[in-house]
Amino acid sequence: MSHRPPVPSGRVTSAKIVIAGGFGVGKTTLVGSVSEITPLTTEAIMTSAGVGVDDTRQVPGKTTTTVAMDFGRISIDRDLILYLFGTPGQTRFWFMWDELVRGAIGAVVLVDTRRLADCFAAIDFFEHRRLPYLIAINCFDGMQYHDPQDVRDALAISRDVPVVPCDARNRESTKHVLISLVEYVLTMRRSRAVAPA
């Protein structure tokens, strides 16, 4: 669904956000639910070549997969536009991640608590590059099965990293995730600016 973006009132700031996570966690869905433009996707039909490579046991209805990236855009307000870049989830496509994160202000790591281990590689990737990220718990079937603090503990991440529930299918929910990330990035930048050298 496309939404008409607000008309900028003055100077417009744009920022790049990366949407990452494991295979079949809902990254394409998240980008599509919030984008005000028709999202660019690189979905391909899964073939027998993925058998034994892509674990579809937890996502039995999945018939397509992202093979390069997803792209969308959302105007948060009249002066802030976010460009969203969704990463492919399979390890064989991770060679593209360095290019996808170039110039990003932060990342959303979307997690499925049924397959929490699938997000460890994304967390490690962003921590190694010192790129701010937050954890978005995708509430499949509209149900939040785990408390954010329990997810934080299971992931062994810093208490400063936001952990927020979301429904990747819901525009307002995903918009809240993106706003939370922008606020976190701004808070981090302010604290670094005032920290003694």
Side-chain angles (χ1 to χ4, degrees):
M1 173 193 275
S2 289
H3 299 275
R4 184 173 295 257
V7 176
S9 61
R11 184 172 160 225
V12 176
T13 299
S14 64
K16 180 179 183 178
I17 304 284
V18 175
I19 311 298
F23 170 69
V25 77
K27 299 175 297 292
T28 300
T29 301
L30 186 149
V31 171
S33 75
V34 76
S35 183
E36 63 201 13
I37 62 171
T38 301
L40 167 69
T41 62
T42 57
E43 290 284 291
I45 294 175
M46 296 176 66
T47 65
S48 59
V51 173
V53 178
D54 300 327
D55 184 0
T56 59
R57 290 174 294 184
Q58 293 294 327
V59 284
K62 188 163 179 63
T63 59
T64 62
T65 189
T66 300
V67 295
M69 68 173 196
D70 299 315
F71 174 78
R73 182 188 78 197
I74 179 173
S75 299
I76 296 298
D77 64 25
R78 293 184 179 273
D79 302 323
L80 177 60
I81 298 171
L82 299 180
Y83 294 101
L84 311 175
F85 289 79
T87 65
Q90 300 96 316
T91 56
R92 68 180 179 273
F93 298 122
W94 284 355
F95 67 91
M96 292 184 269
W97 281 38
D98 281 321
E99 290 302 317
L100 289 175
V101 302
R102 190 181 314 271
I105 64 161
V108 171
V109 178
L110 192 60
V111 303
D112 176 350
T113 57
R114 300 169 297 181
R115 300 176 291 131
L116 207 53
D118 291 356
C119 72
F120 287 132
I123 291 169
D124 290 345
F125 181 88
F126 298 124
E127 285 182 349
H128 179 73
R129 285 156 183 80
R130 303 181 70 137
L131 184 69
Y133 68 92
L134 67 66
I135 301 297
I137 305 167
N138 196 359
C139 299
F140 288 90
D141 305 319
M143 299 293 294
Q144 181 179 334
Y145 295 103
H146 300 281
D147 181 75
Q149 185 59 47
D150 293 338
V151 173
R152 174 188 310 286
D153 293 344
L155 296 175
I157 57 174
S158 166
R159 63 181 169 79
D160 299 332
V161 175
V163 178
V164 297
C166 80
D167 181 340
R169 303 165 300 177
N170 180 283
R171 177 178 171 77
E172 289 307 311
S173 181
T174 55
K175 187 174 178 180
H176 171 73
V177 168
L178 297 171
I179 291 169
S180 296
L181 177 63
V182 171
E183 289 172 345
Y184 175 57
V185 169
L186 290 173
T187 299
M188 287 185 65
R189 287 184 177 183
R190 280 188 211 112
S191 66
R192 286 182 189 156
V194 297

